[in-house]
Amino acid sequence: MIRSEEDVRAIEAQPFAEVYPQRSPWDILRHQAEVRPDAVAIRYLHDATDPKRDELVTYADFAGRVMGAAKVFRSLGVTADSAVAILTQHTVYGEVALWGAQVAGRACTINPMLKPEHIAGLIEAAGCKAVVIMGVNDELNYWDSVVPALREAGITLPILACDADQPSPGADGVFEEMIAAADGPDIVPEGDETALAGYYHTGGTTGAPKLVQHMRLNEAHVARSCAIMHDLGPDDVVVNGFPLFHVAGAFVYGLSTLSAGGTLVVPGRLGMRNAAFMGSIWKQVERLGITVIGVVPTILATLKATPVDADISSLKWLLTGGSPLPTELADAAEKQVGVPVRNILGMTECAGTIAVEPVHGPRTPMSCGLRLPFTEVAVFGETDGDADPTKRLGAGETGIVALRGPNVAAGYSDPARNVGTFLDGGWLVSGDLGMIDAEGRLFITGRKKDVIIRGAHNIDPQMIEDALLAHPEVSTAAAVGMPDAYAGELPVVFAELRAGSTVSEAELIDFLKGRIDDPVALPKRIGMVEAMPVTPVGKIFKPTLRAEAIRWAVAATADKLGVDATVEVDDKLATRVKVPGSDVEKMKDALAGMPISLTVMAA
């Protein structure tokens, strides 16, 4: 049981092989199929309003389908040095495709909501030999738009349809049927724990694929470590509505639960956007005996606002990560639901986990928790603006957060991108500013790496800036995150226009719609400035812009509530909001999800 840094060290006193006996996802799944073949690995909710439609997949059945998928992929030419592109929601056959691809070769899970030309670039960069896409259905049908566009973009690979409700035009096969018909000897994965298992795309410049290379041990280590830190066991029933193209869905909540022999509850194609499931969340906890719910802070805010209308005594923990966890939100959720909230910090480049607040330890405001067993987390000083491993800082000192260990990936598929992120000595630079206290807890205090976090999606500001600078009337552009009580942050951009320009905000938004590949990266607002704030050396000074974005967000919330508010933001972005005394609690509640240092007081 992990409560403190001392407990982590006690685990490290054991041989690594005893703590992590399975060194790949397939080893984990095969082991569980052997020791608990009839236990339920996945409960998939086809219809949250009709329990009779729940699909229960045992560990033995699951492992059998994964091996069948591997045989299908091998028959299509997938080998150890090639991959399968997977564009599905979090479904049973999405899981089967992910792990089956790793047995036959490598998996490349892709957000199907990206623009087709960007998807095509990722498919080519990953060296894919086959593609699996969710077929035509009434809930979320991207087959009819994505598949023709991929063909037009020159993707000639076999494209298989899965999880369809009706025929999918242009499919080269139905994945489920092909698995059922697969025969021949089982496939033995080639290579050891350091072999590449998968590619995960992360925020990058428009049109330029940016793929993280996961080794098998990266994924297995994170899965087992999260199970240890969250004290998961065979009796746990864990809600995982994250997509599989996100490391949280695949490893932090998904493979971790399977490594413990527990049951994953997957709330249909729409995940946590499933209105029927979320509208009956507490009744679902009672019906299914749910013990853990994994969410991002935006969904935690929804749970906080949902009255408990059922017996939820089975529920033990609410786990959250993906974006900063506001303390007031965590406090309010714990008060409303009656169970502890624990935080996680991760990134794609380390299979989803840097630090975890152990469920049996205290929740410390603004802390991300403790490092994983057999890893190092350090805080470095800078040399010429970059993290310098020779300048390791002590407890309580603020610098750039870095880590190394079995969770750290093998770099990007394009080695040129490794500079400044993957350093000599095995260090991965997170891009966050933070400090480690005397008890070993990690705190994030800011960002060195300029990234916007919307929900659990990382957005590269340069992607937005480059797209906007292509407009002939824009001379300078700077994108930042605007705090949002639901999404954590929303992308906004400031533009300095050329002299005499009359272009409007609406015209610039329309211009960006055709140039930004990821819909979640489209700015919610464009602010026109006469002159960008700059540092003494002429670099754009984004804290000034972030302060303005905070004012926008708070003012918009006050307007929506009909509250007269005065907003003050200091040079460290600490925000004070003054409202009439009768409106303080209402304003606090509305702003609770915003990841900012916030004080609401009576005017």
Side-chain angles (χ1 to χ4, degrees), residues 40-43 45 231-240 253 257 260-266 277 284-294 314-317:
V40 176
I42 301 174
R43 179 186 288 266
L45 309 187
D231 194 21
L232 298 178
D235 294 331
D236 278 299
V237 180
V238 179
V239 174
N240 180 3
Y253 301 120
T257 301
T263 298
L264 281 178
V265 172
V266 181
F277 179 78
Q284 300 289 349
V285 169
E286 178 178 4
R287 176 175 80 87
L288 302 174
I290 291 166
T291 61
V292 179
I293 302 176
S314 64
L315 189 64
K316 298 188 295 186
W317 327 110

Side-chain angles (χ1 to χ4, degrees), residues 209-229:
K210 188 177 183 183
L211 291 168
V212 178
Q213 301 179 115
H214 284 177
M215 295 179 286
R216 292 169 181 161
L217 181 59
N218 301 148
E219 299 176 352
H221 176 267
V222 162
R224 186 65 195 137
S225 295
C226 288
I228 292 170
M229 302 295 269

Side-chain angles (χ1 to χ4, degrees), residues 329-353:
L329 174 60
D331 289 342
E334 288 183 342
K335 182 178 179 181
Q336 165 72 7
V337 182
V339 300
V341 174
R342 293 295 181 265
N343 198 14
I344 302 163
L345 174 69
M347 57 193 297
T348 305
E349 289 83 349
C350 59
T353 311

Side-chain angles (χ1 to χ4, degrees), residues 43 135 251 255 257 262 286 305 329 370 408 422 430 439 461 487 491 593:
R43 179 186 288 266
F251 315 117
L255 191 61
T257 301
E286 178 178 4
L329 174 60
L370 304 173
V408 173
F422 291 93
S430 74
E439 284 72 44

Side-chain angles (χ1 to χ4, degrees), residues 164-527:
D165 292 337
Q166 49 195 286
S168 302
D172 294 304
V174 176
F175 190 44
E176 295 91 329
E177 295 175 359
M178 295 174 75
I179 290 174
D183 57 12
D186 284 355
I187 293 170
V188 177
E190 299 175 42
D192 61 12
E193 65 204 49
T194 65
L196 292 185
Y199 298 103
Y200 270 75
H201 62 84
T202 186
T205 308
T206 300
K210 188 177 183 183
L211 291 168
V212 178
Q213 301 179 115
H214 284 177
M215 295 179 286
R216 292 169 181 161
L217 181 59
N218 301 148
E219 299 176 352
H221 176 267
V222 162
R224 186 65 195 137
S225 295
C226 288
I228 292 170
M229 302 295 269
H230 294 147
D231 194 21
L232 298 178
D235 294 331
D236 278 299
V237 180
V238 179
V239 174
N240 180 3
F242 283 79
L244 292 173
F245 59 80
H246 194 281
V247 285
F251 315 117
V252 178
Y253 301 120
L255 191 61
S256 67
T257 301
L258 300 175
S259 78
T263 298
L264 281 178
V265 172
V266 181
R269 295 187 182 99
L270 299 177
M272 302 306 269
R273 292 181 295 148
N274 184 331
F277 179 78
M278 292 302 297
S280 61
I281 183 66
W282 307 127
K283 288 183 170 61
Q284 300 289 349
V285 169
E286 178 178 4
R287 176 175 80 87
L288 302 174
I290 291 166
T291 61
V292 179
I293 302 176
V295 297
V296 293
T298 57
I299 301 299
L300 185 64
T302 299
L303 296 181
K304 182 254 311 184
T306 304
V308 177
D309 58 357
D311 178 0
I312 62 170
S313 56
S314 64
L315 189 64
K316 298 188 295 186
W317 327 110
L318 296 174
L319 307 179
T320 184
S323 60
L325 174 62
T327 300
E328 287 192 0
L329 174 60
D331 289 342
E334 288 183 342
K335 182 178 179 181
Q336 165 72 7
V337 182
V339 300
V341 174
R342 293 295 181 265
N343 198 14
I344 302 163
L345 174 69
M347 57 193 297
T348 305
E349 289 83 349
C350 59
T353 311
I354 297 171
V356 175
E357 279 194 305
V359 293
H360 293 295
R363 176 172 62 81
T364 304
M366 306 311 293
S367 170
C368 304
L370 304 173
R371 64 184 177 88
L372 303 185
F374 298 94
T375 71
E376 282 184 84
V377 176
V379 175
F380 296 148
E382 299 180 37
T383 296
D384 297 329
D386 294 323
D388 186 345
T390 69
K391 296 181 177 178
R392 191 160 181 165
L393 304 181
E397 294 185 280
T398 297
I400 303 173
V401 177
L403 63 146
R404 64 181 174 185
N407 53 336
V408 173
Y412 299 112
S413 58
D414 178 1
R417 292 184 176 273
N418 292 340
V419 177
T421 300
F422 291 93
L423 308 183
D424 291 342
W427 289 106
L428 167 63
V429 177
S430 74
D432 294 311
L433 296 174
M435 69 93 173
I436 299 172
D437 70 7
E439 284 72 44
R441 293 177 297 225
L442 176 64
F443 294 78
I444 299 302
T445 59
R447 290 198 197 127
K448 179 69 175 178
K449 183 180 178 182
D450 204 14
V451 66
I452 299 165
I453 303 177
R454 179 178 181 175
H457 298 277
N458 286 2
I459 300 169
D460 184 351
Q462 186 182 344
M463 173 175 64
I464 301 170
E465 293 159 2
D466 288 351
L468 189 55
L469 287 169
H471 194 285
E473 296 192 47
V474 175
S475 62
T476 310
V480 299
M482 180 178 71
D484 182 79
Y486 178 76
E489 288 184 321
L490 294 172
V492 296
V493 63
F494 293 84
E496 183 179 331
L497 304 180
R498 301 193 187 282
S501 173
T502 58
V503 68
S504 68
E505 178 184 7
E507 288 171 326
L508 291 178
I509 292 283
D510 286 341
F511 178 80
L512 289 177
K513 286 178 180 178
R515 287 165 174 79
I516 291 180
D517 294 327
D518 191 343
V520 302
L522 186 69
K524 289 296 181 180
R525 182 169 176 177
I526 298 178

